[in-house]
Amino acid sequence: MNRQPAVAGAFYPADPKQLHAMLDQYLTDAETAAKVPKAIIVPHAGYIYSGPIAASAYIRLKKAHDRITRVVLIGPSHRVAFKGLAVSGAQYFVTPLGAIPVDQAAVQAITQLPFVGYGEQAHTSEHSLEVHLPFLQEMLDDFTIVPIVAGDATPGQVGQVLDALWGGEETLIVISSDLSHYHDYATAQRLDKATSQRIENLQYDALSFESACGRVPVSGLLKVAQEKSLTVKTIDLRNSGDTAGDKSRVVGYGAYVID
């Protein structure tokens, strides 16, 4: 069983050449850095809105294109309500750029946790994981993914999954989240700046769904970062008013790294 793309042609181009060209442009425009992150928090909107912000984090994987061989990807559920975390029985996740194998051993290992189960319905139409896959295909060589959709789960539960899959330099953690939704430009800037400060201060219990739609997976990562004495840095903070033009009703996007 393969998980087919649900938002190709909507959130990003369905044509492989157009998709590659768009990604290449975003990544060319982004500033790189010497250090390869262990974990990133990146937005998941349509590429014209959040693609440039996501690219600011993904470009930092360049030096590890042949070293990172597994990506643990956790994003929020937008369409299906459930408790815990949902994995998929799919063998591959497919995008216009090709098929990415799922790390079956890792999936089976975390299903031993009582709050992790198979939930195909949560994965079928979910865009919060899918939009990151072409970026990963553009930046990495051969890799597998551990795709996880987060429902109603605690920071501790997400943290247990991350601890189990943390691995070494071969494993990248990707957390998918947008920030504030549908405020005017100035209000969004103020709210998103405050949220970014909470993220940098590892205040995982101070985030609300109004501040970040991926609050559940973000909070879990911040809890683990606190326990491991790691630091989170904001590398990009913009909103759809900066990228797509309309400033009257915007969605906020941030990119963050744990080196």
Side-chain angles (χ1 to χ4, degrees):
M1 184 180 74
N2 295 338
R3 192 271 185 190
Q4 298 297 326
V7 295
F11 278 56
Y12 59 87
D15 178 80
K17 287 184 179 178
Q18 289 179 2
L19 177 55
H20 170 74
M22 180 179 263
L23 290 166
D24 186 58
Q25 187 63 58
Y26 290 149
L27 292 162
T28 298
D29 291 344
E31 289 185 24
T32 190
K35 221 169 178 188
V36 177
K38 172 63 182 179
I40 59 177
I41 302 170
V42 270
H44 55 235
Y47 281 10
I48 63 167
Y49 301 105
S50 67
I53 295 89
S56 67
Y58 282 113
I59 192 63
R60 295 173 179 237
L61 307 180
K62 193 170 187 178
K63 291 182 179 178
H65 66 93
D66 56 350
R67 192 174 81 214
I68 295 170
T69 56
R70 182 176 71 167
V71 179
V72 178
L73 177 55
I74 311 183
S77 179
H78 286 85
R79 296 173 177 271
V80 182
F82 61 95
K83 287 193 175 295
L85 302 169
V87 294
S88 170
Q91 302 289 310
Y92 294 88
F93 273 46
V94 180
T95 82
L97 300 182
I100 306 169
V102 174
D103 184 338
Q104 301 294 330
V107 167
Q108 290 170 14
I110 61 173
T111 57
Q112 304 306 306
L113 295 167
F115 48 85
V116 180
Y118 288 94
E120 300 309 331
Q121 195 179 0
H123 282 270
T124 301
S125 300
E126 183 53 60
H127 65 272
S128 72
L129 306 187
E130 181 181 329
V131 297
H132 296 296
L133 301 179
F135 272 105
L136 291 165
Q137 288 172 302
E138 196 74 15
M139 292 307 303
L140 303 179
D141 295 345
D142 296 321
F143 67 99
T144 62
I145 56 170
V146 187
I148 304 166
V149 177
D152 181 10
T154 67
Q157 289 172 334
V158 175
Q160 281 187 62
V161 168
L162 291 175
D163 274 331
L165 300 174
W166 195 258
E169 62 180 15
E170 82 293 335
T171 299
L172 170 73
I173 310 291
V174 176
I175 302 296
S176 176
S177 182
D178 294 343
L179 300 177
S180 66
H181 281 60
Y182 309 132
H183 298 285
D184 64 83
Y185 186 84
T187 301
Q189 281 194 314
R190 176 174 54 80
L191 293 172
D192 295 339
K193 185 177 180 182
T195 297
S196 291
Q197 288 174 340
R198 292 187 189 106
I199 289 173
E200 288 190 338
N201 292 332
L202 309 181
Q203 294 173 286
Y204 62 87
D205 52 355
L207 297 179
S208 68
F209 285 113
E210 286 71 36
S211 57
C213 65
R215 180 188 71 89
V216 170
V218 171
S219 297
L221 176 64
L222 298 184
K223 186 175 191 296
V224 172
Q226 191 180 87
E227 291 165 352
K228 295 181 180 290
S229 299
L230 301 173
T231 56
V232 179
K233 183 169 69 173
T234 306
I235 58 168
D236 201 349
L237 185 62
R238 285 183 271 173
N239 62 53
S240 55
D242 298 307
T243 52
D246 181 9
K247 289 183 165 59
S248 62
R249 195 166 179 260
V250 306
V251 178
Y253 311 118
Y256 311 86
V257 294
I258 293 178
D259 294 325

